[in-house]
Amino acid sequence: MPVNLPELDPSQLHPVAGVELGIASAGVKTPGRRDVLVMRLAEGSRVAGVFTLNKFCAAPVRLCREHLGVRGDIRALVVNTGNANAGTGLDGLARAQRICDALAGHLAVQPQQVLPFSTGVILEPLPADKIVDALPDAIADLAPTHWAEAARAIMTTDVAPKAASRQVQIGGKTVTITGISKGAGMIHPNMATMLGYVATDATVSQAVLQKLAKWTADRSFNSITVDGDTSTNDSYILIATGAAGNAEIADETSADFVAFRDALLAVAQTLAQAIIRDGEGATKFMTVNVEGGKSWDECKAVGYAIARSPLIKTAFFASDPNLGRILCAIGYSAVDDLDVETLEVWLGDVLVAEKGGRAASYTEEQGQRVMQQAEITVTVKLNRGSEAATVWTCDFSYDYVKINADYRS
Amino acid sequence: MPVNLPELDPSQLHPVAGVELGIASAGVKTPGRRDVLVMRLAEGSRVAGVFTLNKFCAAPVRLCREHLGVRGDIRALVVNTGNANAGTGLDGLARAQRICDALAGHLAVQPQQVLPFSTGVILEPLPADKIVDALPDAIADLAPTHWAEAARAIMTTDVAPKAASRQVQIGGKTVTITGISKGAGMIHPNMATMLGYVATDATVSQAVLQKLAKWTADRSFNSITVDGDTSTNDSYILIATGAAGNAEIADETSADFVAFRDALLAVAQTLAQAIIRDGEGATKFMTVNVEGGKSWDECKAVGYAIARSPLIKTAFFASDPNLGRILCAIGYSAVDDLDVETLEVWLGDVLVAEKGGRAASYTEEQGQRVMQQAEITVTVKLNRGSEAATVWTCDFSYDYVKINADYRS
């Protein structure tokens, strides 16, 4: 069961003016499953995206990059679950293109104004015809209120749907930010995430939107890991319809920019953390704070070394304060000139290690007390600079093995 | 149970003239366990070592580096299991030093002629007094024939002891190479391994010995992974007593050098592979060959991306040819300009993927047939150069989680 992931309350998901969502059943993998999502965007919407750096990136990711490169006026997104259309070569590209063509025809836009997405098993041909056949039903279902249904439609091994919503005042106007995400395994995003879609009715310049896509991804989806596997299909899409009527956010020093950026980050972080709370087999939610580094990159490297370690993750599963494993991971993280004598390791509010060894004040009882909790924070103070970074992860349980040994069957 | 690891046959382990081994019980962690090993080397022996690059390297590793740096005439090694003496700060160094002092006193050599080693739990004070008290028993037990007992003495979570032995003709003399190793978890050696000791009676120059320690480590202990965790205590020690009486091996272009190097590599690879066969929870032994690369480093990076992936390792545990996960791992390995269109992926003798997608000739039945085997070879042909590297790993099972959730209790 997900770790402290509140049940989705559709009434808490504010519609975003200019965005409609429609769901249909194509039976890509499971007959009857509502597995296709279409998002229609009002004319004038701006879209920015960041995508996986995996060289075997999926066919739809390649088309997304191409379409976003050609023109800014994206009018629709189409997502299927059940098949990733990755490792499918030129044939996979043709199939993704066919879906864009069909949706563009229905909506009377150009195929390059459509962004396609797929998630599911890799190396299998995408049943594009089934998806094309389901498009009319999805279009008939289009409504601004279907965010919760959309979150459900894009799930794979997720146990629970993931969504977040927030409203903020920008220049006297109420601006809405609502997003959905999916993902539970093959999670170690690199520049992007599994699938994350965040829409706002704010008016934002294209340059600021693209910059914020990267900035918020780095601090949310790019700061999580379940298993260290960077997916072939990671995509994070930011949509700004401009329907809120605020003065365009273009100046990065303005109070409006800061208010909008912070609200956007809060939504993106909630969505990214939801993926970890629903991580495959997760029983614990772990926050790894690394402070006092010389750079954000080195803090992130230390954080990820801890968050990726199967030895640490199994110890957390067992609620066993086997904390030497944390020191070990810090020691092999890629920070070349690290001085182990000056750093500190904290488990919750308990000082565990300092001066290269166990803290004199530490007792096994203190460690046990923190390890029993469902949400645990590990803090590493590098004490050599002023930068900080946070990484979120989950523990490693029998169920992770079970889920991934069974996934295709 | 270990994967195809033959039961240790003490009669197959040739003694190495100039090396004696003695075992005793100190009760470091488990009362009555024979957990301390002393190796005594004849005068004139040469020793080379490679050690973990983990910044939180253990106190004994620091002393080993120091002692090997000060003088070449090492006369004894002392190893304990049950406690790693890592993450123990200055106090840990003092405790390791006390053991060296005591052993040096008994053997009438200098403390700097002793190399100490520890393996076991991290972040706990080493009970050095218990080990010091056990030294006389270990010395009384010294004999050239105790290799099998030594292999057993250094085990931690290992299910089976690991040793290998080989004889080769060098310049008309019979030269013996015998070694032992231990390790099953926290295995992702970086420049070294868990604990590996290889001794030979060959006469080898110090320069060649040091070079061969690195060269053979890179192709054996540094080519394996169980869980991606680089230990704090990895050490690989090469001993050459010179008792065989061959002409010194100092010329790297000589036939003697090649014959010796190849025999040494065979012993080191057998020992390293034994660690994988006994990997925590292992049910499959996987060989990952990466060929046709521009450099050995890039081949190794692709091999390790595959060998580390929890998704691939759980699929192998399930005998499920979910081979898209292999493409995914190749895609996120750190090879920047990889062309996925030109590479090939083979599972055993079956072509799985080419031209960026699944091979036209591939069938699920072919994949299933190979996946049922206990030993599976994955071959990646990068088709862009002439370099190659091999990495060995095991699958990821329920028992890995069980072993590591229970390890301290």
Side-chain angles (χ1 to χ4, degrees), chain A residues 5 7 71 113 132-133 180 191 226 241 282 285 295 316 319 339 366 368 372 384 401-402:
Chain A
L5 187 61
E7 204 173 325
R71 50 200 297 168
Q113 292 179 287
V132 167
D133 290 347
I180 56 175
M191 298 301 125
V226 169
T241 66
F285 178 83
S295 68
F316 275 75
S319 300
D339 183 354
Q366 293 175 315
Q368 277 292 351
Q372 298 300 327
R384 60 193 234 134
V401 178
K402 183 170 163 50

Side-chain angles (χ1 to χ4, degrees), chain B residues 18 45 55 90 159 170 197 207 251 257 281 304 311 328 350 376 394:
Chain B
S45 296
K55 303 295 183 307
L90 289 178
V159 172
I170 302 282
Y197 303 94
D251 172 7
F257 171 82
Y304 263 131
L311 288 170
C328 178
V350 176
I376 299 173
C394 53

Side-chain angles (χ1 to χ4, degrees), chain A residues 189-322:
Chain A
N190 186 358
M191 298 301 125
T193 177
M194 282 301 283
L195 298 180
Y197 303 95
V198 175
T200 178
D201 51 7
T203 308
V204 188
S205 76
Q206 183 66 37
V208 164
L209 197 69
Q210 185 60 49
K211 203 158 180 178
L212 281 177
K214 171 81 167 70
W215 191 88
T216 56
D218 279 346
R219 283 155 186 81
S220 57
F221 297 107
N222 280 355
S223 292
I224 61 177
T225 187
V226 169
D227 46 23
D229 278 281
T230 300
S231 155
T232 47
N233 290 55
D234 294 345
S235 305
Y236 168 49
I237 299 293
L238 199 51
I239 298 160
T241 66
N246 60 297
E248 185 179 83
I249 301 169
D251 172 7
E252 291 180 40
T253 62
S254 68
D256 280 0
F257 171 82
V258 172
F260 177 70
R261 182 196 66 187
D262 291 352
L264 188 63
L265 181 61
V267 168
Q269 284 185 339
T270 301
L271 291 173
Q273 290 171 13
I275 289 174
I276 296 304
R277 294 182 187 284
D278 192 11
E280 289 175 343
T283 74
K284 299 270 171 76
F285 178 83
M286 294 159 61
T287 300
V288 183
N289 290 323
V290 182
E291 307 172 1
K294 284 188 186 167
S295 68
W296 187 74
D297 283 345
E298 78 173 30
C299 294
K300 205 99 183 250
V302 170
Y304 263 130
I306 294 169
R308 277 188 74 159
S309 160
L311 288 169
I312 294 173
K313 289 153 82 87
T314 46
F316 275 75
F317 169 56
S319 300
D320 177 10
N322 192 336

